[in-house]
Amino acid sequence: MIELLSHRGIRDERVLRAMSVVDRHLFVQEPFINRAYEDSALPIGHSQTISQPYTVAYMTECLEMKEGDKVLEVGTGSGYQAVILAEMGARLFTIERHMGLLTQARKIFDKLGYQIVSKCGDGTIGWKEFAPFDRILVTAGAPEIPQPLLDQLNSGGILVIPIGDLDVQNLHVIKRVNDHFEKRETFGFKFVPLIGRKGWR
Ligand code: SAM
């Protein structure tokens, strides 16, 4: 899997290292364990998916995270992306709207010994009590950028979020520079929908 990620253009050694030490098969359901190291998204229940490894690696690279950064992830899902970020030294906060998925992810965080702060709720409004964040990563596709997430981004902070319609999204990488935002986009991703007050209804 790591060779494949390098081959597809992932250059950040810290991302490749984290993805080589975290076992992806621990985060997938029993019937899919033999496909855990393929470059594909897999079902995790509740009509949701664990993102494909390339997408996880690319989004993580886009975050340009530093050790000790306070990071908010919206869309815990299986917990795999959260553990990758924690393994890279993030102080990780993660929100999931399905309690069943969060319960399962929390079991894995505990089993692997990662200190990850999590809650069940609507991540489109961020997590005010712990804001501001150095980095925010949204792992579901939104119709537009939720204003609360921009408001909760530290100066110098980076927000990575897929934006588009329900079929296809572009990955937006937004950097806050004092009171303005610089943006770049990468085209053609496919995420499950971000559902909530500032997402899809
Ligand atoms: N990061 C996940 C992983 O590593 O497995 C990927 C999960 S999946 C692609 C996106 C997740 O976002 C789903 O579990 C979905 O339930 C969740 N989600 C959708 N809208 C949400 C919201 N408003 N707040 C929190 N989670 C949300």
Side-chain angles (χ1 to χ4, degrees), residues 10 19 27 31-32 56 65 71 79 96 115 117 124 153 155 164-165 168 170 179 190 200:
I10 302 301
M19 291 186 70
F27 299 82
F32 301 103
V56 171
M65 210 194 79
V71 180
E96 170 56 52
Q115 303 289 324
V117 184
T124 65
L153 197 58
S155 185
D165 58 28
V168 66
N170 296 337
D179 55 357
K190 168 86 181 144
W200 297 99

Side-chain angles (χ1 to χ4, degrees), residues 55-174:
T55 303
V56 171
Y58 186 73
M59 289 197 301
T60 308
E61 209 170 56
C62 288
L63 272 182
E64 296 176 31
M65 210 194 79
K66 298 182 302 301
E67 200 163 341
D69 275 353
K70 196 205 282 188
V71 180
L72 174 67
E73 180 199 28
V74 175
T76 316
S78 67
Y80 179 68
Q81 173 78 73
V83 166
I84 295 295
L85 295 170
E87 176 60 34
M88 290 173 67
R91 288 179 288 143
L92 215 275
F93 298 79
T94 184
I95 308 176
E96 170 56 52
R97 65 185 285 273
H98 286 291
M99 192 63 217
L101 292 177
L102 188 61
T103 303
Q104 185 58 28
R106 280 176 173 164
K107 281 188 193 149
I108 304 180
F109 299 157
D110 289 347
K111 184 174 161 197
L112 299 181
Y114 289 96
Q115 303 289 324
I116 292 173
V117 184
S118 63
K119 75 166 178 179
C120 185
D122 178 5
T124 65
I125 55 170
W127 200 342
K128 230 175 176 175
E129 293 86 334
F130 293 108
F133 297 96
D134 302 307
R135 301 288 185 266
I136 300 178
L137 176 62
V138 181
T139 68
E144 57 189 21
I145 299 167
Q147 186 62 40
L149 299 184
L150 292 175
D151 295 341
Q152 293 176 26
L153 197 58
N154 233 340
S155 185
I158 295 175
L159 164 66
V160 175
I161 179 168
I163 302 287
D165 58 28
L166 290 168
D167 292 323
V168 66
Q169 303 89 32
N170 296 337
L171 199 66
H172 290 230
V173 179
I174 299 151

